[in-house]
Amino acid sequence: MSDLSMVFEGAAGQGVQTITRMLLPVLKNCGHHVFACTEFMSRIRGGSNTTEIRVTEKPRQAYVRRIDMLFALSPKAHEHLDRRIDADTLVFAESEQCAVPAKGNCIETPVKALALEAGSPVFSNTVVAGMVLGLLAIPPEELDAFLHDRFQEKGEEIVLKNIAAARLGFEWGRKCPAAGSIKLPRIEFGGSAAELLMDGTAALGIGVVAAGCNFISSYPMSPSTGLLTFLAEKSDAFGVVVDQAEDEIAAINAGLGASYAGARAVVTTSGGGFDLMQEGVSLAGMLELPLVIHIGQRPGPATGLPTRTEQGDFNLVLHAGHGEFARVVFAPGTLEELIHLAQRAFAVAHRFHIPVFLLTDQFLLDAETSMEAGAIHRFPLEEAIVETGKEYLPYLFTEDGLSPRGVPGYGAGLVRADSDEHSEAGFITEDFDVRRRMVEKRLARLGPLREQALMPTVTGLIDNARTLVVGWGSNRGVIEEALDLLGDPRVAGLHFSQLFPLNPAVASLLGERKLIVLENNPTGQFAGYLAIETGKNIAGRILKATGEPFSVEEVLEALRKEVGHE
Amino acid sequence: MSDLSMVFEGAAGQGVQTITRMLLPVLKNCGHHVFACTEFMSRIRGGSNTTEIRVTEKPRQAYVRRIDMLFALSPKAHEHLDRRIDADTLVFAESEQCAVPAKGNCIETPVKALALEAGSPVFSNTVVAGMVLGLLAIPPEELDAFLHDRFQEKGEEIVLKNIAAARLGFEWGRKCPAAGSIKLPRIEFGGSAAELLMDGTAALGIGVVAAGCNFISSYPMSPSTGLLTFLAEKSDAFGVVVDQAEDEIAAINAGLGASYAGARAVVTTSGGGFDLMQEGVSLAGMLELPLVIHIGQRPGPATGLPTRTEQGDFNLVLHAGHGEFARVVFAPGTLEELIHLAQRAFAVAHRFHIPVFLLTDQFLLDAETSMEAGAIHRFPLEEAIVETGKEYLPYLFTEDGLSPRGVPGYGAGLVRADSDEHSEAGFITEDFDVRRRMVEKRLARLGPLREQALMPTVTGLIDNARTLVVGWGSNRGVIEEALDLLGDPRVAGLHFSQLFPLNPAVASLLGERKLIVLENNPTGQFAGYLAIETGKNIAGRILKATGEPFSVEEVLEALRKEVGHE
Amino acid sequence: MSDKQTRFDMPPHTDVAWCPGCGNHMLLTAVKEALDDLGIDPRQLVMVSGIGQAAKAPQYINANMFNGLHGRALPAALGIRLSNRNLVVVVESGDGDMYSEGGNHFLHAIRRNFDVTMIIHNNMIYGLTKGQASPTSPIGMRTPVQVKGVIPEPFNPLAVAIALDAPFVARAFAGDIAQTRSVIAEAIRFKGCSIVDVFQPCVIFNKLNTYKWFREHTCSLPEDHNPEDRMAAFALAIQHEPLPLGIFYRNGKRALYEDQAGITETPLYRQPPPGDDEFEKLIDAYR
Amino acid sequence: MSDKQTRFDMPPHTDVAWCPGCGNHMLLTAVKEALDDLGIDPRQLVMVSGIGQAAKAPQYINANMFNGLHGRALPAALGIRLSNRNLVVVVESGDGDMYSEGGNHFLHAIRRNFDVTMIIHNNMIYGLTKGQASPTSPIGMRTPVQVKGVIPEPFNPLAVAIALDAPFVARAFAGDIAQTRSVIAEAIRFKGCSIVDVFQPCVIFNKLNTYKWFREHTCSLPEDHNPEDRMAAFALAIQHEPLPLGIFYRNGKRALYEDQAGITETPLYRQPPPGDDEFEKLIDAYR
Ligand SMILES: Cc1ncc(C[n+]2csc(CCOP(=O)(O)OP(=O)(O)O)c2C)c(N)n1
Ligand SMILES: Cc1ncc(C[n+]2csc(CCOP(=O)(O)OP(=O)(O)O)c2C)c(N)n1
Ligand code: SF4
Ligand code: SF4
Ligand SMILES: [Mg+2]
Ligand SMILES: [Mg+2]
C-alpha cells in the first residue's frame, strides 16, 4: 500500500481530534509523510465530525474520499459517511455506541470496554490511538511522550492510566485479525523528510510573525479566528499588539490607524465579516496604507455553512471597496506557501502602500501536514518608513506614484491622511487636476506589481502538454495528486498562488493549450478572470459548491472525462 | 443659434439655484427644450458652484463645456471657470462682487445695485433672472407666477418687490448691447414638446412610487439622499413607511425585514455606504428576498469627492456580497429611463426574489430636463405573494428555482428564513446534497433573467456602422449628442441601461464592429465585463475620473480621434 | 426542564444543536411557555435572531422565523414590525450578537421604541465561535484570544438601557425557568421596546459564570423597588454584588414608534399600489 | 472669536469650509487654545476624525491628521494609540458621526478606556448632508426626511457614558470659548477615555437649537457637584431643563487599556522584527 487513509469519526465534543493529535506525530516520527484534514459541523456538541489521516509514500496535501480504516465513534457515523464506505473499508465500531454501517467490513471494536478497563470512558480516545498503533504494528512506546506532555497537568495518575489505556488498545489492535491486511506505505530513503508537523493556521501564523507583523485587530469568525488566536498566544514573545474588535468595521479601521502610525498590521476574517470591511479597504486605497487582510473562505451566501470550505471570495476581494486603486491577491496552495506568501503579502503591502489579500479556506487552514524544515524560508524585511522633514508631503507626486512613507511623531514633519480626495500635503481638495493625478498615482503601481507578480507553479511537463489543469489556492494538492495518478504526459497542471494582478508572462505560458480550470465555487470565478486577462478561452470548468473539499478521486474522474480517458 | 448654454456661478448659500429654478419653467413654457446640470462643492457656504442651463433645438441631456453666457456672482468664479471661458463667452459680472475674468467678453453687470434699488441685496437672484429674460427677449411677466408661488409665504410685499426686481433686471437686459448677439434656438413645431420639467431625483422617485414601493430605510449620503427625501415628502400621500436608519447596515437589514414581511422595499445609498450593505446583499441572496438598491455614484475611493460624479461602482455591485446568487443591475441613461427602470427594478426583484441594483450618479440625479408627458409609462404591478398553506415550504424546490412567496401572518403556514444554508422548510441544514441544490436554485433564475434582459438602445444606423460607441448609465445623452454632431454614418452608438445580466443577443448585435467604450471611471469597468461576456475585443476606451461629467466637446474630440477624423 | 406542552413546541426528535446542560435549553422552555401563557398564535409571531448559539433558538420554536445576520436582528425586526404591526416580534439572540456586533442597533432600537421584545442570552462568552470574550465577559477572564485576561469593562446592558430611557428593562436567570418565564411574558405583553437580559450558563466555554456562580451572585430585586423610579433602577443596574434579577425599570410614558410614524393596521403586503389617477397627480406637479 | 495665536494655527488665508457664524469656528478656537495651554508638540498630536462638517476640524489644526471614514474615528484612534502610546490622540467629530454611524465604537471605546479625548460637535443635526435629524435632534424637529418631526428619543451621550462608567464625562457649549477650552484641556490632560460633548449651533440647518436657545437652556453644574459621585452625575445627565455644563463625572479608578494590554513605550514602527533565532524557536515547536 502506498497510501493509507484512516478516518476518525465522532460527535463534536467527543474529542476525536485527540486521536489524530496522538497519531500524527508518531507517524511523522516514524518517517512517514502524513496529511490530515478535518470536516465538522457548526455545533459544539453532538452531530458527526471526522478527521482523515493519510499516510503516504510521496508528500501529499489532498483529501481522498476513499476510507481504508474507519473508526466510527458516534451514532451518526453511518448516516454521515455512508457515501464514503465501500466493501474494502475496514469499519471499526462498537455496536453499543454506534449503529454499525451496513456496508464495509465491520469489526466489532471494544473501545468502551477497554477504556473502562483502564479506569473510565474518558480514555476511549487513547484506547483508539493504541488500537491504531497495534493495527499498524508501531511500537506503543512512541505514544508515551505525548501522553506525558498532554496529561501531566492532570497528575501522574492520569498519565499512567492513559498509557495503560493505549497499551490495552495496542494489544487489541495487534491481535485483531484485520491487522495483517493493513500495510503502512514504504518510508522514503532516510526517513527524515518529514521534520515538521503543523496545520494551516500555524503555517499562516508563522509566516505572519516572520513578516514582522506587530498588530492585529479582528473579530472572531470561522475559519479565520485561528490567526487571531495564534498571534494572541505569541503576543508576548513577539511583541504583537492584539485587540479583539467589537465588529469587523472596527477591526479594519483599527488596523488602518495602526498602519498609519507605523505598525505592520493584519486583520483576519471570513467572507461575511469581510463584507463589512470593504469601506475600510477603500480607505486603505485612498490613504495608501499597507494592510494585510486574511480571508478564510467558507461557503456563502450569508451565514451559509460556517464550518465548511469553499473558494467563493475571489471576485469579492478583487472588487472590494468602492473606487479604484491597486491591490494584490495571494492564494497559497500548500502549508509551505502559506508561510512564504504571508511574508510576501507584508512585503508587497509595505513596498507599495496597498491592501494585500491572503485568501485561504477552511480546508487549508485546518489541514495538518508533515513537511521539510529546509523548505521553509524566511525573507528579509524591507524597511520603508522615513523620518519626515519639515516640508514632508505624505502624497508627494513621484514617477512611480509611491511617496516616501512617514509616520506621526517621527521627524519634523506632519503626517496628514484624508479620506477625501487630497493634495500632496494630505488636505481635502476639489481641484480636478489634482484629482486626476491622484487617481493615476494610486493606480500606477499596478505596473510594477504586474511585473513582480508570482508566476504559477507548473506540475508535470508543460512543454509536452496539450491540456493544462489550472487551479488556485487550496486545490494545489488535489490537482497535483490527480495528475500524478492520471500519468498522462499530455496533461500538465498550473497552480496560481497569486491571483491578482497576473504576470504579463502568464498568457504566453498558457500558449494555445486547452485550459481546464478547477475551483471550489459554483461559477468559476477565477476562470472568468483568467479569460479576460489573458484573452484565452476556458475549455472546461471543474466546479463544486457543496461545502466539501475536492477529493482526489473526483478530480481524477473529472480529468479523465475532460481528456477523454474514459 | 441652435443651442444656448448659460452658466450661473455663485458661492454655496448664495442661492444661484433659485435663478435656474425661475428660468427653467419659463423657458420650457415658451416651448423650448431645456436641460440643466449642476456641479457643487462639498460645503454649505462659500466656494464656487455652478449650474448650466442649455436651451436646445433638439432634446438634449448632456453637459457642454462651452459657455455662451456666464453670470459670475462669486469672487472665485474666475479661478473655477477659467478653463471654460473663451473669447466668445459673454461674462456678466460685477467688478465689485467678483474679480472679472481676464478672458471672455466682459460686461459690467449691476446686479447688486439693481437689487438694492428693489430694496435689498436678497433680490440679486431675481434681478439676474430678470436680466436673462431681458437678454433673451422673453416677456418678464412669465416670471410673475413663479415669484408669487415662491414668495407668497413671506407676504405680498416680498412678492411685489421680487417682481419689481425682475423688471429692473429685465430692463437692464433688454437694453444691454449684448442682447442682440444672443439668440434663442428655434422652437420645434407646435412648441409643446416639453410638457414636464423635473430633475433626476424626482424621476427616480416617481418611478419608485409608481412601482408601488411602500418602504424605505436609509442613511443620508450624497448624492443618494434625494430619494429618501422624495419618499418622505410623499409618505402620507402614497403610504410609504420611511425610516432614517442609524447606519447603512441597519438600513438594508430593515429593508430585508420589511421585504420578508411583504413590503416593496428600497434602500438608497452611495458607494461607501453601499460597502457596508454588502453583507445584507448576500443575505438577500440567501433568503431570496426582493430588494431594490439604489446607488447614486460619486467618485471614490473612501470619501473621495462627495458631491461630484463618477461611474465607478459597476464592479462593486456586480460582485457585492460574499457567495454566489442571482442579481440584476440597471443603469438608466435619461430621466425617462429613470422612471421606467425604477419600475422595472421592482418588477424584476419581486418576480425573481432577488436584489436589484439601480446605478445612477450625481450628474444624472441633479440633472433637470424638460420632457414629453406622453413618453412616461406606468407599468402594471405583478403581485407575487401567496397565502400559505399548512405545509408551506418557503424554499420549495421547483423547476425554475422560484418558490411561491409567502409572508408571515398570511395563511396557515409558517415562513422561516434562515441565513444559514437551509432546507426547503427554511431550517438550518448541513446536508451536502441539499446545499448543492440550493446553490443551483439560487443561480438558476439567471437563465430567464438573461433572456428577459433589456437590449441596449441604438443611436444611428447600426447596420451601416463599422464602429460602435458603447456607453451606459448617465452617458447616454452625451454620446447621442456627440454622434449627432459627428454625423458619421459609419459610427453608431449603443447604450446599455441593463448592465447585468446581458441579453445573449448582445454579442450578435455587436457583430464584428470596432467597439469603443466610454465610461466615467479610470479603468473601464463595463468594457472589461462586456469583453468577457461577449468574447469581443474592446478597441478603445474613453475614460475619465476627475469628478466631472463628460462634456459633449470632449466626447466629440475623442470620437474624432478614435475614428480618424482629425 | 419542564414538560409542559406548548403550541410552540417543535416535533419530537428535532435535532437541537445545543450542548447538554446548556442554559439555552431552559431559556427556550421559558420562552415557549411565556408565549403560550400569552395565548399568542404562532402564525402571528415572528422570532428574529442573529447568529450564534443563542440565535439558533428560533429554529426550535414553532413560529415564523427570521434568522438573519450576526448582530443584525434588531433592524430586521424593525422592518418587520413597520411592515405589519399585527405581528408579534420577538428578538432572541446572544450577548455578542446584540451588544458587540449589534451594539449600534441596540442603542437606536431603544431610541425608537417600536414594539419588540429583546431576549438576550447572556452567557458572557462567544459560544458558537468557541470561547472568545464577549462584551459582558468579566475582567480577567482568560480565553484563547484574551490570553492575559479580559481588559475592557463589561458592558452593562441594563444601565445603558436605562440611560437611554428604555421603557422596559429586566434581567433574569435561565436557571430559574419560572421567573424567567414570567419576566419574559411581561416583556412581550409590554407595548414598546422591552429588554430582558438573561444570564445563561455556557457549560463548555465559560467556566467562571456557572449555574452555581449565578446562584451565588444574584438576588431578587428589593421587594419595595419601584420600577418607575429611574434613578433607583439605575442604582440597582450598576450594583455588582449581588446582581439583582427582575424588572428594573418601566416607563409607560414613551410613545410607540409605530403610532408616531403613522403605521396603520393594514400590513404593507395588503396595501394597494397607487392608482393611475394618483400617479397622474404625482406627475402633474412637474408640468 | 479670540485672537490668541497658538502653535496649532494654520497659515493665514487657509480656506475654512464652515459657514460664517457657525459654532464650529469657536470650538476650533477653544480646541487650539486648550492644546496650546497644555504645551503639546503638534508633531506628537494626532487629530482623528470621521466625516461631516465637524470632522473637518483637523484640517484646520496644525498637527498630524487622520481624517478617516464616517463614523470610524474611534477604531482608528485606538489603532494609533496602541501602535504608539507617545502620541496624544484627540478625536473630533460630529454627533451623527459619533453617535449614529459610530455608535458601536463609542460604546466599546469607553469599555476599553484607552487614552483618547473625544470632542463631539453636537449640533443636533446632520450638517454636511444638509439637515437631516441626528441622534440628538429634539423630538418633533422637522427636516426634509423627518417630515412629521423627529420621533426617537434623543440620544443622551452623557447618561450612556456614565452608564458605561466612562472615566471622564463632560459637556460644554461652543458659544462659551473660555469654558469649553478649560474643559477640553482637562479632558486631554486626563489619562484615559474622556468625552466632551459640545453644544454647537449650526446656523444653517438647526433653527431650533440656536445660540440663544443654548444660552437659555443651559446652566453650570451645581457648585457642590462631586464628579466622583456617579449617581449624582447620572441624575444631572438625565436632567432636561436646564441642561448643565461642565465636568459631570470622573472615575480615576479605571485601569488604562494600554497598561493592561502591555503596550510599551517603544512605538511599533521602531520595534525590531523577530530575529532569526526567535523565528527558529517558533518553528521548533512544530518539530
Ligand atoms: C459578520 C460576522 N462576524 C462574525 C461571525 C462569527 N460569529 C458567529 S456567532 C458569533 C458570536 C457568538 O456569540 P454570542 O452572540 O454571544 O452567541 P453565543 O454563541 O454565545 O450564544 C460570531 C463572532 C459571523 N457569523 N458574522
Ligand atoms: C458610510 C457613510 N455614510 C454616510 C455618509 C454621508 N455623511 C457624511 S457626513 C454625514 C453626517 C454628518 O453629520 P454629523 O456627524 O452630525 O456632522 P456635522 O456635519 O453635523 O458636523 C453623513 C451622513 C458618509 N460619508 N459615509
Ligand atoms: S457552547 Fe455553551 S452556549 Fe453553546 S450550546 Fe454549548 S453550553 Fe450552550
Ligand atoms: S452647515 Fe451648520 S454645522 Fe455646517 S458649517 Fe454651516 S453652520 Fe456649521
Ligand atoms: Mg454569548
Ligand atoms: Mg451634526
Side-chain angles (χ1 to χ4, degrees), chain C residues 84-102:
Chain C
N84 185 350
R85 66 179 292 179
N86 307 314
L87 297 171
V88 176
V89 178
V90 175
V91 166
E92 201 175 347
S93 225
D95 47 341
D97 195 89
M98 296 288 283
Y99 304 144
S100 195
E101 187 85 49

Side-chain angles (χ1 to χ4, degrees), chain B residues 28 195-198 202 206 209-210 212 214-215 230 234 237-239 241-247 249-250 253-254 256-258 260-263 279-280 283 287 289 373 376-378 381 385 407-420 426-428, chain C residues 10 42-47 50-51 56 58-70 72 75-84 87 101 104-106 108-109 112 257 261 263 267-276 278-279 282-287:
Chain B
K28 183 205 75 166
E195 295 163 82
L196 301 178
L197 178 69
M198 66 179 72
I206 288 170
V209 168
N214 51 22
F215 188 94
F230 184 95
K234 306 279 180 280
F238 291 93
V241 174
V242 176
D243 188 77
Q244 180 176 315
E246 57 269 30
D247 57 31
I249 306 172
N253 281 280
L256 291 172
Y260 161 79
E279 199 190 9
L283 182 63
L287 301 188
L289 288 175
I376 293 179
H377 305 291
R378 191 169 180 221
L381 289 187
I385 290 174
V407 297
Y410 179 41
L414 295 174
V415 183
R416 290 190 171 93
D418 185 3
S419 73
D420 297 277
F427 288 112
I428 192 169
Chain C
M10 295 297 286
R43 290 165 304 182
Q44 296 299 322
L45 171 67
V46 187
M47 297 295 306
I51 293 297
K56 287 178 186 163
Q59 306 259 353
Y60 312 133
I61 295 176
N62 183 48
N64 298 291
M65 168 177 95
F66 188 100
N67 190 169
L69 297 172
H70 182 53
R72 315 303 170 190
L78 174 68
I80 294 166
R81 258 304 282 186
L82 297 186
S83 301
N84 185 350
L87 297 171
E101 187 85 49
N104 203 30
H105 313 307
F106 182 71
H108 294 276
R112 284 191 185 84
Y257 188 80
I263 308 294
L268 294 186
Y269 73 85
R270 281 198 193 284
Q271 187 183 284
D276 283 344
E278 282 174 287
F279 179 69
L282 181 63
I283 299 280
D284 273 349
Y286 299 92
R287 266 174 211 275

Side-chain angles (χ1 to χ4, degrees), chain A residues 502-522:
Chain A
L502 290 185
N503 195 304
V506 165
S508 56
L509 181 68
L510 300 180
E512 296 312 311
R513 296 179 184 85
K514 179 178 169 190
L515 301 178
I516 316 266
V517 181
L518 177 147
E519 49 192 316
N520 201 338
N521 63 50

Side-chain angles (χ1 to χ4, degrees), chain A residues 44, chain C residues 17-19 22-24 53 123 127 200-205:
Chain A
I44 306 300
Chain C
W18 291 325
C19 311
C22 174
N24 284 333
Q53 295 283 35
N123 56 6
Q200 168 249 316
C202 166
V203 298
I204 305 297
F205 295 114

Side-chain angles (χ1 to χ4, degrees), chain D residues 3-61:
Chain D
D3 275 346
K4 190 174 166 271
Q5 301 252 324
T6 76
R7 76 196 87 173
F8 298 95
D9 292 345
M10 296 297 286
H13 311 302
T14 298
D15 175 29
V16 175
W18 291 325
C19 312
C22 175
N24 283 333
H25 298 286
M26 281 174 255
L27 182 43
L28 176 64
T29 302
V31 170
K32 291 195 296 184
E33 292 183 0
L35 290 165
D36 210 49
D37 293 346
L38 296 169
I40 290 168
D41 177 349
R43 290 165 305 182
Q44 297 299 322
L45 170 68
V46 186
M47 297 297 305
V48 184
S49 70
I51 293 297
Q53 295 283 36
K56 287 179 185 162
Q59 307 259 353
Y60 312 133
I61 295 176

